[in-house]
Amino acid sequence: MKPHQIQIDEQGRLKHFISIEGLPRDLLIAILDAAQSFAGVGERAIKKLPLLRGKTIATLFFEPSTRTRTTFELAAKRLSADVLNINVQSSATRKGESLLDTLRTLEAMHCDMFVVRHPMSGAAQLIASHVAPHVRVINAGDGRHEHPTQAVLDCFTIRRVKGDLSSLVVAIVGDVLHSRVARSDIHALNILGVGELRVVGPKTLIPPGVEALGVRVFYDLEPGLRDADVVIMLRLQNERMQGTLLPSAHEYFQAYGLTAAKLAVARPDVTVMHPGPINRGVEIDTAVADGPHSVILQQVSHGIAVRMAIMSMAMGSQAAPRRTR
Ligand code: NCD
């Protein structure tokens, strides 16, 4: 079964959240709209809604993470769920059986939802196909495959800052090859009908055949950034690189690092994004990361609202998705 087949129930509602690929446009828009309604909760004196009261959510991270795990935790707590954080130290070679064993143990504790990050592509789907029927699974990043909640928060951020996506030029810059964020972003932005989608980076870090996903490829930064409305910078994922794909971090910064001078070819009101963690002086200069075009910290806040929307919809606490556009 494909990831997108497992994540939607017979009524077309979100059941698990495994991938953006194959997600119906209506459902993606319904998630964005629900996130919009949750966005104000963090600014209230009492930051809680009772939607998931009495539910137990386990975050199961087989890879290190700070912002994704903590924003999932905060989102679950703001929905009044009980949260169990489990850090599982595992090597990339631990697969299949040990993963399902951990899961059985957690199921015996009557968890209602698992938020899973795993170095193996397909791990979240594997878990979703083995859990009890009432249990929900959210993919918080599986290997190089997808990071669907990140893509939703990226689209949410772009929609909030820029409004309509249909006339926008969006450039995704850097280590596209190893990036699950890039894959999910490409699918999400295409589903939403972005004007023009580009990927920019050295040949060794651009997946061969990526044009088939509906992107324009640029191997040089300047033409890739020219007239861009939105620039999404990616971290060099050294931990996923085998062999030497790059000369050095310094040379990478010279060629592909985003500085204020290089950004000048983009639109004057360009928005700069990054999923984090950022490597200052490698893919992005401090002056840009902290500069007036950057929405990197807003992305983190939006991540909470988006994860609240996804968790409550998957748990069936939201009204059925409605068409709004
Ligand atoms: C991303 C990830 O883990 O894929 N980060 C994140 O979720 N905030 C991107 C990255 O690690 O570079």
Side-chain angles (χ1 to χ4, degrees):
M1 197 186 265
K2 293 216 158 137
H4 60 271
Q5 288 165 326
I6 208 171
Q7 64 187 355
I8 294 166
D9 71 10
E10 298 80 41
Q11 283 82 43
R13 290 177 310 198
L14 196 68
K15 186 175 171 199
H16 305 291
F17 197 50
I18 309 296
S19 71
I20 299 287
E21 187 179 6
L23 193 71
R25 181 182 153 85
D26 281 2
L27 202 44
L28 179 52
I29 288 174
I31 296 169
L32 291 167
D33 289 344
Q36 183 70 38
S37 68
F38 287 125
V41 176
E43 281 143 36
R44 293 189 201 159
I46 299 185
K47 302 179 176 53
K48 263 194 199 286
L49 297 171
L51 289 171
L52 298 186
R53 192 162 53 201
K55 302 288 184 193
T56 304
I57 298 179
T59 67
L60 198 57
F61 277 60
F62 294 81
E63 256 185 22
S65 160
T66 315
R67 71 196 78 206
T68 302
R69 197 195 57 70
T70 49
T71 50
F72 264 113
E73 181 180 351
L74 259 182
K77 287 181 169 166
R78 287 187 182 166
L79 293 167
S80 309
D82 294 317
V83 186
L84 204 60
N85 290 312
I86 300 149
N87 289 313
V88 197
Q89 289 313 316
S90 88
S91 73
T93 48
R94 269 183 74 197
K95 288 179 194 170
E97 243 187 6
S98 61
L99 180 60
L100 294 177
D101 277 344
T102 313
L103 198 71
R104 294 283 169 249
T105 312
L106 289 166
E107 272 189 338
M109 300 178 200
H110 301 292
C111 288
D112 299 288
M113 178 181 278
F114 296 114
V115 176
V116 183
R117 168 168 289 192
H118 198 283
M120 188 180 86
S121 297
Q125 191 195 355
L126 179 74
I127 292 175
S129 60
H130 283 85
V131 290
H134 74 281
V135 175
R136 301 291 182 251
V137 177
I138 310 286
N139 182 8
D142 62 328
R144 285 158 55 170
H145 175 229
E146 281 224 31
H147 192 350
T149 61
Q150 178 72 43
V152 180
L153 83 85
D154 287 347
C155 292
F156 182 85
T157 303
I158 296 172
R159 211 164 74 141
R160 263 209 151 182
V161 178
K162 299 280 186 211
D164 180 34
L165 270 69
S166 64
S167 59
L168 298 181
V169 175
V170 178
I172 302 177
V173 181
D175 183 1
V176 178
L177 181 66
H178 300 100
S179 177
R180 53 195 173 204
V181 174
R183 286 174 68 90
S184 291
D185 276 351
I186 290 169
H187 288 303
L189 289 163
N190 277 330
I191 290 170
L192 294 175
V194 73
E196 183 183 323
L197 191 51
R198 304 174 178 172
V199 296
V200 187
K203 248 192 188 110
T204 47
L205 295 180
I206 300 290
V210 71
E211 295 89 344
L213 297 180
V215 297
R216 283 182 72 191
V217 177
F218 292 80
Y219 297 117
D220 291 310
L221 190 60
E222 198 192 303
L225 292 180
R226 190 168 295 284
D227 297 325
D229 297 282
V230 177
V231 179
I232 302 175
M233 297 304 295
L234 300 172
R235 186 176 63 90
L236 279 185
Q237 311 230 333
N238 288 310
E239 74 277 17
R240 299 188 198 283
M241 290 187 196
Q242 281 159 0
T244 31
L245 294 177
L246 289 171
S248 72
H250 178 72
E251 281 170 88
Y252 182 81
F253 183 71
Q254 294 302 317
Y256 295 97
L258 191 63
T259 60
K262 291 179 189 161
L263 193 59
V265 299
R267 306 256 320 167
D269 62 346
V270 63
T271 296
V272 176
M273 299 169 54
H274 193 308
I278 61 174
N279 288 318
R280 293 168 188 268
V282 180
E283 72 268 357
I284 191 164
D285 192 28
T286 286
V288 178
D290 303 335
H293 298 285
S294 168
V295 294
I296 296 173
L297 294 177
Q298 289 175 47
Q299 287 176 268
V300 178
S301 311
H302 295 161
I304 303 169
V306 161
R307 287 169 179 135
M308 286 173 82
I310 291 164
M311 286 195 281
S312 56
M313 284 172 73
M315 210 77 99
S317 296
Q318 281 288 119
R322 65 207 149 83
R323 180 186 283 273
T324 54
R325 271 194 195 175

